[in-house]
Amino acid sequence: MTPVKLDRAAPTDLYEQVAAEIRRAIAAGEAGPGDRLPPARDLAAVIGVNTNTVLRALRLLRDEGLLEFRRGRGISVAATPARGVVVEQARELIESARRHGYRVEEVTQLIAELW
């Protein structure tokens, strides 16, 4: 991974900046599906942040579908950022549907109709 540039004065949280740098590295092909990432402690030491900051960034990327956590095998790249974007948009749709009182069956039917 190329050197990570964090702006501690920026309004964006450090973990979001770390996640953005990892996302960029995956998009640039520095790490592809199936590649393992170094342990969070090692990443934190290289980046110059607390291990918990890196762990929070990694969990965010896992929730986006970009990373996969496997007990005993570490963290590996699960997908490309394009899939991560779709997962994030799906999460936003689900949140919006819940706020507006839609049931899962109604949302599923709406998606099927639009597909």
Side-chain angles (χ1 to χ4, degrees):
M1 208 164 85
T2 59
V4 176
K5 297 174 187 160
L6 301 180
D7 182 359
R8 295 179 188 277
T12 307
D13 291 329
L14 282 177
Y15 81 92
E16 291 175 342
Q17 293 182 47
V18 171
E21 286 294 321
I22 295 170
R23 207 180 283 116
R24 181 210 50 76
I26 294 170
E30 295 175 32
D35 289 349
R36 287 184 48 195
L37 269 58
R41 185 175 301 163
D42 294 349
L43 284 173
V46 169
I47 296 170
V49 296
N50 187 290
T51 302
N52 288 326
T53 301
V54 171
L55 288 170
R56 191 168 180 189
L58 295 173
R59 283 191 297 269
L60 175 65
L61 296 173
R62 178 200 57 201
D63 293 345
E64 290 177 10
L66 287 176
L67 299 179
E68 185 176 60
F69 290 30
R70 288 190 178 175
R71 185 172 298 250
R73 291 188 161 181
I75 301 169
S76 60
V77 177
T80 62
R83 183 179 188 284
V85 168
V86 172
V87 169
E88 183 59 31
Q89 289 174 344
R91 286 185 195 286
E92 291 171 7
L93 171 63
I94 291 167
E95 288 175 23
S96 178
R98 284 180 179 156
R99 275 195 312 272
H100 290 91
Y102 281 86
R103 293 187 327 264
V104 68
E105 299 83 17
E106 293 171 318
V107 175
T108 307
Q109 180 182 356
L110 178 62
I111 292 170
E113 289 172 5
L114 293 173
W115 195 266

